Amino acid sequence: MFAEERQQLIVGLISASGRASVTDLAERFSITTETIRRDLAALESAGSVRRVHGGAVSPDRFSTTEESILERTVQRQPEKTRIAEAALALIPQDRSGSILIDAGSTTEALAELLAARTAASRPAAGSDDELVVITHALPIASRLSGEPGIALHLLGGKVRGITQAAVGQSTVEAARRIRPDTAFIGTNGIHAAFGLSTPDPEEAAVKAAFVQSARRIVVLADSSKLDAETLVQFASLKDLDTLITDRKPNRELADALAEAGVEVVVA
């Protein structure tokens, strides 16, 4: 394969997934990592990719880049549905206990499935069994509000338009006063060295409070988030219990997750 042809394929892979690592590309094309680095240098000079530690990303992808919740909801829907289905299996069907659902398009898919499951198995007349669901996300609260068998708790604060979620000091303080059994957390990036991150400091503060509050942390992240770093770290890999994603992480991230004791579920 000529270098030009290989480089065109590399650009296509990065455009499709948002990023690619040097090691993954070297394995895919059966060439050395040094050759891949030269390819990426040439592509960066041409403005086709932007190099980052360990690989490259799309040229328009920066640490502060953030799409709205409405835009993300329609992206990678099959993958997010599979991840949400795997997460739903972790929620007791007998409506016992409490869960926290963080803002995000994949967590919103989980709320949709939870509402459907709850509606299909309505509690018996007179039953007071209810699953406690806590969230700060308006779309999730809207979907679960009024569902029989769910006791919904909405954390207040200043609503951030791009994510339609409450943020700010009051939200952080409210999160610190609860101890849910399981928190389902969304993220904009999960990286071997940098951990979990999101572009906005206020959003990061709320996520960090969620991670510190819950007994069990389950992260829902489609493969476009793997190896990505955004502006603000809110958790380390050691803070996590489970990662549910749609593709096996590359070797570096997989090794870091294993060392941190994180269970990886590929949906």
Side-chain angles (χ1 to χ4, degrees):
M1 181 182 295
F2 293 111
E4 292 81 2
E5 181 183 0
R6 183 177 62 247
Q7 289 170 11
Q8 288 178 356
L9 292 173
I10 290 172
V11 171
L13 290 169
I14 293 174
S15 297
S17 62
R19 67 170 294 132
S21 72
V22 169
T23 53
D24 280 353
L25 291 172
E27 290 177 2
R28 176 182 288 270
F29 294 106
S30 299
I31 57 177
T32 66
T33 55
E34 289 75 13
T35 301
I36 288 295
R37 288 191 177 93
R38 287 196 294 271
D39 284 341
L40 295 179
L43 290 170
E44 185 174 49
S45 295
S48 300
V49 304
R50 185 168 60 86
R51 285 192 293 175
V52 295
H53 176 71
V57 299
S58 297
D60 57 350
R61 184 167 178 173
F62 294 92
S63 64
T64 55
T65 300
E66 187 174 13
E67 296 170 317
S68 73
I69 186 66
L70 296 176
E71 291 173 311
R72 285 183 282 144
T73 299
V74 299
Q75 297 170 350
R76 303 178 66 84
Q77 287 181 323
E79 293 88 347
K80 292 175 181 180
T81 298
R82 294 201 305 272
I83 293 169
E85 288 171 343
L88 183 67
L90 302 180
I91 301 175
Q93 294 201 41
D94 63 1
R95 302 185 179 87
S96 61
S98 58
I99 65 170
L100 183 148
I101 305 181
D102 183 24
S105 55
T106 310
T107 50
E108 191 173 329
L110 171 60
E112 185 72 30
L113 293 178
L114 177 61
R117 189 180 79 177
T118 302
S121 57
R122 293 180 178 273
S127 173
D128 58 0
D129 293 337
E130 291 185 311
L131 172 69
V132 174
V133 180
I134 305 161
T135 189
H136 69 133
L138 297 185
I140 291 172
S142 176
R143 185 62 189 87
L144 296 176
S145 177
E147 288 290 343
I150 290 180
L152 179 66
H153 295 251
L154 178 61
L155 303 182
K158 177 186 69 176
V159 176
R160 188 166 175 254
I162 195 169
T163 58
Q164 296 183 25
V167 296
Q169 189 58 36
S170 61
T171 315
V172 170
E173 291 175 357
R176 289 172 176 166
R177 292 194 296 268
I178 57 176
R179 185 73 69 189
D181 296 314
T182 302
F184 295 95
I185 302 294
T187 185
N188 295 75
I190 178 166
H191 188 271
F194 196 56
L196 276 69
S197 59
T198 194
D200 182 72
E202 287 190 306
E203 202 93 40
V206 174
K207 289 177 181 290
F210 288 164
V211 169
Q212 295 303 314
S213 296
R215 293 183 173 92
R216 181 185 185 188
I217 305 301
V218 179
V219 174
L220 312 186
D222 70 72
S223 54
S224 69
K225 310 304 191 331
L226 303 183
D227 303 310
E229 301 168 277
T230 56
L231 185 62
V232 187
Q233 183 195 64
F234 65 85
S236 69
L237 298 185
K238 292 183 179 180
D239 293 320
L240 315 182
D241 295 292
T242 303
L243 166 66
I244 306 178
T245 186
D246 59 277
R247 177 173 59 81
K248 184 179 178 181
N250 68 29
R251 186 181 308 164
E252 182 182 10
L253 180 55
D255 289 347
L257 289 164
E259 183 178 353
V262 180
E263 176 192 18
V264 178
V265 176
V266 179

